[in-house]
Amino acid sequence: MSAVDVQTGATAPAPSGGRSAALNWTWWLLRRLALAVGTMLLVSILVFVATSSLGDPVRAILGRDYELSPERVRQLEQLMNLDKPLLVRYFDWLGGLLTGDLGMSVAAMRPVSQMIGDTVVNSLVLVAISAVVMIPVSFGLAMLSSALRKGRGDSVIQSILLTLAGLPEFVIGILLVALFSTTVFRLLPAVTVSMPGQPPWSRPEAMILPVLTLVLAVSPYVARIVRATLLEVLDSEYVELARLKGIPEGVVMRRHALRNAIVPGVQVMALQLAWLAGGVVVIEALFSYPGIGKQLVDAVRNHDVPLVQALSMIIAGVYVTVNLIADVLSILLTPRARTAIAG
Protein backbone atom coordinates (compact mmCIF):
# COMPACT_ATOMS: atom_id res chain seq x y z
CA MET A 1 0.00 0.00 0.00
CA SER A 2 1.03 3.68 -0.40
CA ALA A 3 1.21 6.43 2.21
CA VAL A 4 -0.02 10.06 1.75
CA ASP A 5 2.28 12.93 2.76
CA VAL A 6 0.28 15.23 5.12
CA GLN A 7 2.05 18.39 3.84
CA THR A 8 2.09 17.89 0.07
CA GLY A 9 -0.65 15.34 -0.38
CA ALA A 10 1.67 13.28 -2.57
CA THR A 11 1.57 9.53 -2.46
CA ALA A 12 4.75 7.94 -1.11
CA PRO A 13 5.78 4.37 -1.93
CA ALA A 14 5.45 1.74 0.74
CA PRO A 15 8.59 0.47 2.48
CA SER A 16 10.35 -2.27 0.54
CA GLY A 17 12.06 -3.97 3.44
CA GLY A 18 10.57 -7.36 2.62
CA ARG A 19 11.59 -7.11 -1.00
CA SER A 20 15.11 -5.99 -0.03
CA ALA A 21 15.47 -8.89 2.43
CA ALA A 22 14.34 -11.39 -0.21
CA LEU A 23 16.77 -9.89 -2.70
CA ASN A 24 19.64 -10.10 -0.21
CA TRP A 25 18.81 -13.72 0.52
CA THR A 26 18.68 -14.47 -3.21
CA TRP A 27 22.05 -12.86 -3.84
CA TRP A 28 23.60 -14.69 -0.88
CA LEU A 29 22.30 -18.03 -2.11
CA LEU A 30 23.43 -17.33 -5.68
CA ARG A 31 26.93 -16.50 -4.43
CA ARG A 32 27.09 -19.75 -2.46
CA LEU A 33 25.85 -21.70 -5.48
CA ALA A 34 28.44 -19.99 -7.69
CA LEU A 35 31.14 -20.90 -5.18
CA ALA A 36 29.95 -24.51 -5.17
CA VAL A 37 29.97 -24.65 -8.97
CA GLY A 38 33.44 -23.11 -9.05
CA THR A 39 34.66 -25.67 -6.53
CA MET A 40 33.28 -28.54 -8.62
CA LEU A 41 34.91 -27.08 -11.75
CA LEU A 42 38.27 -26.93 -9.98
CA VAL A 43 37.81 -30.49 -8.71
CA SER A 44 37.02 -31.68 -12.24
CA ILE A 45 40.29 -30.17 -13.50
CA LEU A 46 42.28 -31.78 -10.69
CA VAL A 47 40.61 -35.18 -11.16
CA PHE A 48 41.13 -35.17 -14.92
CA VAL A 49 44.76 -34.00 -14.76
CA ALA A 50 45.57 -36.46 -11.95
CA THR A 51 44.08 -39.45 -13.76
CA SER A 52 45.72 -38.40 -17.04
CA SER A 53 49.18 -38.14 -15.48
CA LEU A 54 49.29 -41.66 -14.08
CA GLY A 55 50.89 -43.06 -17.21
CA ASP A 56 49.53 -44.90 -20.21
CA PRO A 57 46.25 -46.54 -19.09
CA VAL A 58 46.15 -48.73 -22.20
CA ARG A 59 49.55 -50.23 -21.37
CA ALA A 60 48.42 -50.76 -17.78
CA ILE A 61 45.25 -52.51 -18.92
CA LEU A 62 46.81 -54.78 -21.54
CA GLY A 63 50.07 -55.52 -19.73
CA ARG A 64 52.17 -57.95 -21.74
CA ASP A 65 49.67 -57.92 -24.60
CA TYR A 66 50.40 -54.26 -25.31
CA GLU A 67 53.10 -55.02 -27.88
CA LEU A 68 51.25 -58.02 -29.30
CA SER A 69 47.84 -56.42 -29.89
CA PRO A 70 48.23 -53.14 -31.83
CA GLU A 71 44.62 -53.33 -32.98
CA ARG A 72 43.40 -53.65 -29.42
CA VAL A 73 45.65 -50.73 -28.44
CA ARG A 74 44.05 -48.50 -31.09
CA GLN A 75 40.55 -49.52 -30.01
CA LEU A 76 41.22 -48.63 -26.39
CA GLU A 77 42.90 -45.36 -27.34
CA GLN A 78 39.85 -44.37 -29.39
CA LEU A 79 37.50 -45.48 -26.61
CA MET A 80 39.37 -43.34 -24.07
CA ASN A 81 39.97 -40.46 -26.54
CA LEU A 82 43.72 -40.76 -26.02
CA ASP A 83 44.31 -39.85 -29.66
CA LYS A 84 43.20 -36.25 -28.91
CA PRO A 85 45.05 -33.41 -27.14
CA LEU A 86 44.66 -33.20 -23.36
CA LEU A 87 42.63 -29.96 -23.42
CA VAL A 88 40.22 -31.33 -26.03
CA ARG A 89 39.80 -34.52 -24.04
CA TYR A 90 39.01 -32.53 -20.88
CA PHE A 91 36.29 -30.45 -22.50
CA ASP A 92 34.81 -33.54 -24.17
CA TRP A 93 34.76 -35.30 -20.80
CA LEU A 94 33.33 -32.25 -19.01
CA GLY A 95 30.61 -31.87 -21.64
CA GLY A 96 29.65 -35.51 -21.25
CA LEU A 97 29.66 -35.12 -17.47
CA LEU A 98 27.24 -32.17 -17.66
CA THR A 99 24.90 -34.07 -19.98
CA GLY A 100 24.94 -37.29 -17.96
CA ASP A 101 27.32 -39.19 -20.26
CA LEU A 102 29.95 -40.56 -17.87
CA GLY A 103 31.78 -42.50 -20.53
CA MET A 104 32.42 -46.19 -21.10
CA SER A 105 34.10 -48.48 -18.60
CA VAL A 106 37.21 -49.95 -20.24
CA ALA A 107 37.21 -52.92 -17.87
CA ALA A 108 33.56 -53.96 -18.15
CA MET A 109 32.85 -52.38 -21.58
CA ARG A 110 29.61 -50.97 -20.22
CA PRO A 111 28.40 -47.38 -19.78
CA VAL A 112 29.61 -46.03 -16.46
CA SER A 113 26.18 -44.59 -15.69
CA GLN A 114 24.71 -48.09 -15.74
CA MET A 115 27.38 -49.46 -13.42
CA ILE A 116 27.21 -46.90 -10.64
CA GLY A 117 23.46 -46.57 -10.10
CA ASP A 118 23.04 -49.33 -7.52
CA THR A 119 26.38 -48.68 -5.83
CA VAL A 120 25.57 -45.00 -5.29
CA VAL A 121 22.24 -45.94 -3.69
CA ASN A 122 23.95 -48.53 -1.47
CA SER A 123 26.51 -45.99 -0.25
CA LEU A 124 23.88 -43.32 0.39
CA VAL A 125 21.86 -45.81 2.46
CA LEU A 126 24.96 -46.73 4.48
CA VAL A 127 25.82 -43.08 5.15
CA ALA A 128 22.19 -42.21 5.96
CA ILE A 129 21.83 -45.04 8.49
CA SER A 130 25.16 -44.09 10.06
CA ALA A 131 24.05 -40.45 10.32
CA VAL A 132 20.70 -41.39 11.89
CA VAL A 133 22.54 -43.38 14.56
CA MET A 134 25.45 -40.95 14.97
CA ILE A 135 23.46 -37.77 15.62
CA PRO A 136 21.52 -38.85 18.74
CA VAL A 137 24.53 -40.79 20.06
CA SER A 138 26.83 -37.77 19.71
CA PHE A 139 24.40 -35.30 21.27
CA GLY A 140 23.52 -37.77 24.02
CA LEU A 141 27.17 -38.30 24.93
CA ALA A 142 27.79 -34.54 24.86
CA MET A 143 24.83 -33.86 27.17
CA LEU A 144 25.80 -36.67 29.55
CA SER A 145 29.41 -35.52 29.67
CA SER A 146 28.34 -31.92 30.29
CA ALA A 147 26.05 -32.97 33.11
CA LEU A 148 28.89 -34.99 34.70
CA ARG A 149 31.60 -32.39 34.10
CA LYS A 150 34.58 -32.40 36.45
CA GLY A 151 33.50 -35.83 37.63
CA ARG A 152 34.81 -39.33 37.10
CA GLY A 153 32.10 -40.13 34.58
CA ASP A 154 33.09 -37.17 32.42
CA SER A 155 36.75 -38.24 32.54
CA VAL A 156 35.86 -41.77 31.43
CA ILE A 157 33.69 -40.52 28.55
CA GLN A 158 36.37 -38.08 27.35
CA SER A 159 39.08 -40.75 27.54
CA ILE A 160 36.99 -43.11 25.40
CA LEU A 161 36.19 -40.37 22.88
CA LEU A 162 39.84 -39.33 22.60
CA THR A 163 40.89 -42.94 22.08
CA LEU A 164 38.34 -43.46 19.32
CA ALA A 165 39.24 -40.13 17.70
CA GLY A 166 42.88 -41.20 17.56
CA LEU A 167 42.17 -44.50 15.82
CA PRO A 168 41.86 -44.66 12.02
CA GLU A 169 38.53 -45.97 10.81
CA PHE A 170 40.02 -49.13 9.32
CA VAL A 171 41.62 -49.98 12.69
CA ILE A 172 38.23 -49.61 14.37
CA GLY A 173 36.70 -51.85 11.71
CA ILE A 174 39.38 -54.52 12.13
CA LEU A 175 38.94 -54.49 15.92
CA LEU A 176 35.18 -54.90 15.55
CA VAL A 177 35.66 -57.79 13.11
CA ALA A 178 38.06 -59.47 15.52
CA LEU A 179 35.65 -58.95 18.42
CA PHE A 180 32.32 -59.86 16.84
CA SER A 181 33.16 -62.02 13.82
CA THR A 182 36.31 -64.09 14.27
CA THR A 183 38.00 -64.77 17.58
CA VAL A 184 35.73 -63.73 20.47
CA PHE A 185 31.97 -63.86 19.88
CA ARG A 186 31.36 -64.72 16.20
CA LEU A 187 27.95 -63.07 16.23
CA LEU A 188 28.05 -61.01 13.02
CA PRO A 189 29.28 -61.59 9.46
CA ALA A 190 32.72 -60.16 8.76
CA VAL A 191 31.78 -59.12 5.21
CA THR A 192 28.61 -57.87 3.56
CA VAL A 193 27.23 -60.63 1.37
CA SER A 194 23.90 -60.19 -0.40
CA MET A 195 22.07 -62.33 -2.93
CA PRO A 196 22.29 -61.25 -6.59
CA GLY A 197 19.71 -58.58 -7.34
CA GLN A 198 19.09 -57.82 -3.66
CA PRO A 199 20.35 -54.73 -1.81
CA PRO A 200 22.81 -55.27 1.05
CA TRP A 201 20.26 -54.09 3.63
CA SER A 202 18.12 -57.14 2.80
CA ARG A 203 20.34 -58.80 5.42
CA PRO A 204 20.32 -56.31 8.32
CA GLU A 205 22.90 -58.24 10.33
CA ALA A 206 25.45 -57.62 7.56
CA MET A 207 24.97 -53.85 7.92
CA ILE A 208 25.74 -53.70 11.64
CA LEU A 209 29.54 -53.72 11.55
CA PRO A 210 29.95 -51.15 8.72
CA VAL A 211 27.46 -48.80 10.38
CA LEU A 212 29.01 -49.29 13.82
CA THR A 213 32.48 -48.59 12.44
CA LEU A 214 31.37 -45.32 10.83
CA VAL A 215 29.48 -44.25 13.96
CA LEU A 216 32.49 -44.92 16.21
CA ALA A 217 34.80 -43.11 13.77
CA VAL A 218 32.65 -39.96 13.51
CA SER A 219 30.81 -39.58 16.83
CA PRO A 220 33.83 -38.53 18.97
CA TYR A 221 34.42 -35.36 16.95
CA VAL A 222 30.78 -34.28 17.03
CA ALA A 223 30.36 -35.13 20.72
CA ARG A 224 33.46 -33.17 21.77
CA ILE A 225 32.48 -30.04 19.81
CA VAL A 226 28.91 -30.10 21.13
CA ARG A 227 30.17 -30.70 24.69
CA ALA A 228 32.49 -27.68 24.49
CA THR A 229 29.61 -25.51 23.30
CA LEU A 230 27.30 -26.83 26.01
CA LEU A 231 29.84 -26.08 28.74
CA GLU A 232 30.22 -22.54 27.46
CA VAL A 233 26.47 -21.99 27.43
CA LEU A 234 25.95 -23.60 30.84
CA ASP A 235 28.38 -21.08 32.35
CA SER A 236 26.62 -18.09 30.79
CA GLU A 237 24.66 -15.52 32.77
CA TYR A 238 21.22 -16.23 31.35
CA VAL A 239 21.54 -19.93 32.20
CA GLU A 240 22.51 -18.99 35.76
CA LEU A 241 19.44 -16.76 35.87
CA ALA A 242 17.28 -19.66 34.71
CA ARG A 243 18.68 -21.81 37.53
CA LEU A 244 17.99 -19.05 40.06
CA LYS A 245 14.36 -19.04 38.92
CA GLY A 246 14.13 -22.68 39.96
CA ILE A 247 14.03 -24.24 36.50
CA PRO A 248 15.15 -27.89 36.70
CA GLU A 249 18.62 -28.67 35.34
CA GLY A 250 17.22 -31.03 32.70
CA VAL A 251 14.96 -28.31 31.33
CA VAL A 252 17.87 -25.85 31.33
CA MET A 253 19.95 -28.33 29.36
CA ARG A 254 17.25 -29.04 26.75
CA ARG A 255 15.64 -25.61 26.28
CA HIS A 256 18.57 -23.27 26.78
CA ALA A 257 21.95 -24.97 26.40
CA LEU A 258 21.10 -27.46 23.68
CA ARG A 259 19.51 -24.85 21.42
CA ASN A 260 22.71 -22.81 21.39
CA ALA A 261 24.81 -25.91 20.72
CA ILE A 262 22.83 -26.89 17.64
CA VAL A 263 24.56 -24.50 15.22
CA PRO A 264 28.15 -25.64 15.97
CA GLY A 265 26.82 -29.18 16.04
CA VAL A 266 25.29 -28.79 12.58
CA GLN A 267 28.56 -27.43 11.21
CA VAL A 268 30.73 -30.19 12.60
CA MET A 269 28.17 -32.84 11.60
CA ALA A 270 28.24 -31.50 8.06
CA LEU A 271 32.02 -31.79 8.00
CA GLN A 272 31.86 -35.34 9.32
CA LEU A 273 29.10 -36.36 6.92
CA ALA A 274 31.14 -34.88 4.09
CA TRP A 275 34.11 -36.88 5.37
CA LEU A 276 31.95 -40.00 5.25
CA ALA A 277 31.58 -39.48 1.50
CA GLY A 278 35.32 -40.13 1.19
CA GLY A 279 35.97 -42.18 4.30
CA VAL A 280 33.34 -44.70 3.30
CA VAL A 281 35.80 -45.91 0.63
CA VAL A 282 37.99 -47.61 3.22
CA ILE A 283 35.07 -49.04 5.18
CA GLU A 284 33.35 -50.46 2.10
CA ALA A 285 36.59 -52.06 0.92
CA LEU A 286 37.17 -53.52 4.39
CA PHE A 287 33.71 -55.10 4.66
CA SER A 288 33.27 -55.79 0.90
CA TYR A 289 30.21 -53.55 0.98
CA PRO A 290 28.86 -53.09 -2.58
CA GLY A 291 29.03 -49.29 -2.68
CA ILE A 292 31.00 -46.61 -4.48
CA GLY A 293 33.96 -47.07 -2.14
CA LYS A 294 34.55 -50.70 -3.05
CA GLN A 295 33.79 -49.91 -6.69
CA LEU A 296 36.37 -47.12 -6.66
CA VAL A 297 39.03 -49.45 -5.23
CA ASP A 298 38.24 -52.05 -7.90
CA ALA A 299 38.32 -49.37 -10.62
CA VAL A 300 41.77 -48.19 -9.51
CA ARG A 301 43.01 -51.77 -9.41
CA ASN A 302 41.70 -52.37 -12.97
CA HIS A 303 43.01 -49.00 -14.28
CA ASP A 304 39.45 -48.12 -15.27
CA VAL A 305 40.01 -44.38 -15.69
CA PRO A 306 36.46 -43.35 -16.76
CA LEU A 307 34.97 -45.12 -13.75
CA VAL A 308 37.53 -43.57 -11.38
CA GLN A 309 36.78 -40.10 -12.76
CA ALA A 310 33.01 -40.51 -12.43
CA LEU A 311 33.17 -41.86 -8.86
CA SER A 312 35.61 -39.15 -7.79
CA MET A 313 33.26 -36.45 -9.08
CA ILE A 314 30.30 -38.05 -7.29
CA ILE A 315 32.19 -38.07 -3.98
CA ALA A 316 33.23 -34.44 -4.51
CA GLY A 317 29.65 -33.50 -5.38
CA VAL A 318 28.34 -35.03 -2.16
CA TYR A 319 31.03 -33.19 -0.17
CA VAL A 320 30.18 -29.80 -1.70
CA THR A 321 26.41 -30.35 -1.40
CA VAL A 322 26.57 -31.32 2.28
CA ASN A 323 28.66 -28.24 3.08
CA LEU A 324 26.25 -26.00 1.16
CA ILE A 325 23.29 -27.40 3.10
CA ALA A 326 25.20 -26.89 6.37
CA ASP A 327 25.86 -23.24 5.50
CA VAL A 328 22.17 -22.65 4.80
CA LEU A 329 21.08 -24.37 8.03
CA SER A 330 23.65 -22.43 10.06
CA ILE A 331 22.27 -19.15 8.74
CA LEU A 332 18.66 -20.17 9.34
CA LEU A 333 19.41 -21.28 12.91
CA THR A 334 21.38 -18.13 13.81
CA PRO A 335 19.22 -15.01 14.27
CA ARG A 336 22.16 -12.60 13.98
CA ALA A 337 23.27 -14.14 10.70
CA ARG A 338 19.72 -14.02 9.32
CA THR A 339 19.43 -10.35 10.28
CA ALA A 340 22.82 -9.52 8.73
CA ILE A 341 21.87 -11.09 5.39
CA ALA A 342 18.33 -9.71 5.35
CA GLY A 343 19.55 -6.22 6.25
Side-chain angles (χ1 to χ4, degrees):
M1 295 179 64
S2 299
V4 178
D5 194 311
V6 295
Q7 294 181 352
T8 64
T11 301
S16 58
R19 184 183 306 173
S20 176
L23 184 62
N24 291 339
W25 271 102
T26 302
W27 277 114
W28 178 85
L29 186 58
L30 288 177
R31 286 196 300 269
R32 293 295 295 123
L33 289 174
L35 181 60
V37 172
T39 302
M40 290 301 299
L41 181 61
L42 180 60
V43 169
S44 70
I45 296 174
L46 295 176
V47 167
F48 189 83
V49 172
T51 53
S52 300
S53 62
L54 295 177
D56 188 357
V58 177
R59 183 182 293 274
I61 292 171
L62 295 180
R64 296 179 179 179
D65 295 334
Y66 181 82
E67 303 293 342
L68 303 177
S69 306
E71 184 64 27
R72 177 62 174 163
V73 171
R74 286 193 295 270
Q75 290 177 355
L76 287 176
E77 287 178 346
Q78 293 177 358
L79 179 64
M80 303 175 69
N81 293 327
L82 296 178
D83 52 344
K84 298 180 180 179
L86 181 64
L87 190 61
V88 175
R89 285 173 15 219
Y90 169 72
F91 283 108
D92 289 344
W93 172 73
L94 182 62
L97 196 67
L98 295 176
T99 57
D101 182 9
L102 303 181
M104 184 74 69
S105 168
V106 296
M109 299 305 296
R110 292 175 53 198
V112 172
S113 57
Q114 295 181 3
M115 298 178 59
I116 65 176
D118 292 339
T119 55
V120 170
V121 173
N122 293 343
S123 293
L124 290 177
V125 170
L126 177 61
V127 172
I129 295 176
S130 302
V132 169
V133 176
M134 177 266 294
I135 292 173
V137 167
S138 301
F139 275 83
L141 286 174
M143 295 174 64
L144 179 61
S145 180
S146 300
L148 300 175
R149 59 177 171 170
K150 300 180 180 179
R152 183 173 298 179
D154 183 27
S155 300
V156 171
I157 293 174
Q158 292 306 305
S159 299
I160 294 174
L161 292 179
L162 282 173
T163 301
L164 291 175
L167 292 176
E169 63 272 14
F170 68 90
V171 174
I172 297 176
I174 292 173
L175 292 176
L176 290 177
V177 170
L179 181 61
F180 294 107
S181 302
T182 56
T183 58
V184 183
F185 293 111
R186 296 187 181 182
L187 298 176
L188 300 170
V191 295
T192 304
V193 180
S194 57
M195 299 299 293
Q198 292 185 350
W201 56 88
S202 60
R203 296 183 61 204
E205 67 276 7
M207 298 283 295
I208 294 177
L209 287 185
V211 169
L212 185 59
T213 301
L214 291 176
V215 170
L216 292 178
V218 172
S219 295
Y221 301 97
V222 180
R224 286 178 58 80
I225 293 295
V226 175
R227 173 186 177 273
T229 306
L230 284 174
L231 292 180
E232 182 179 354
V233 175
L234 289 173
D235 291 334
S236 62
E237 294 181 357
Y238 76 91
V239 170
E240 291 294 336
L241 180 61
R243 291 194 181 104
L244 292 175
K245 291 181 178 180
I247 299 178
E249 188 67 22
V251 177
V252 170
M253 176 72 74
R254 292 193 305 270
R255 293 187 179 181
H256 298 279
L258 191 58
R259 285 184 180 181
N260 289 275
I262 287 178
V263 174
V266 167
Q267 294 172 342
V268 72
M269 278 190 296
L271 291 175
Q272 295 305 313
L273 290 176
W275 172 86
L276 285 180
V280 76
V281 173
V282 178
I283 302 304
E284 290 182 355
L286 177 63
F287 292 101
S288 297
Y289 185 85
I292 60 175
K294 182 176 182 299
Q295 193 173 39
L296 180 60
V297 173
D298 294 338
V300 172
R301 185 182 297 116
N302 296 327
H303 304 281
D304 197 343
V305 174
L307 186 56
V308 171
Q309 292 172 339
L311 293 175
S312 299
M313 292 302 298
I314 289 175
I315 293 174
V318 172
Y319 193 98
V320 171
T321 301
V322 170
N323 279 280
L324 179 61
I325 294 174
D327 287 345
V328 174
L329 289 177
S330 298
I331 295 296
L332 293 177
L333 294 173
T334 309
R336 286 184 180 179
R338 292 201 308 268
T339 304
I341 292 179

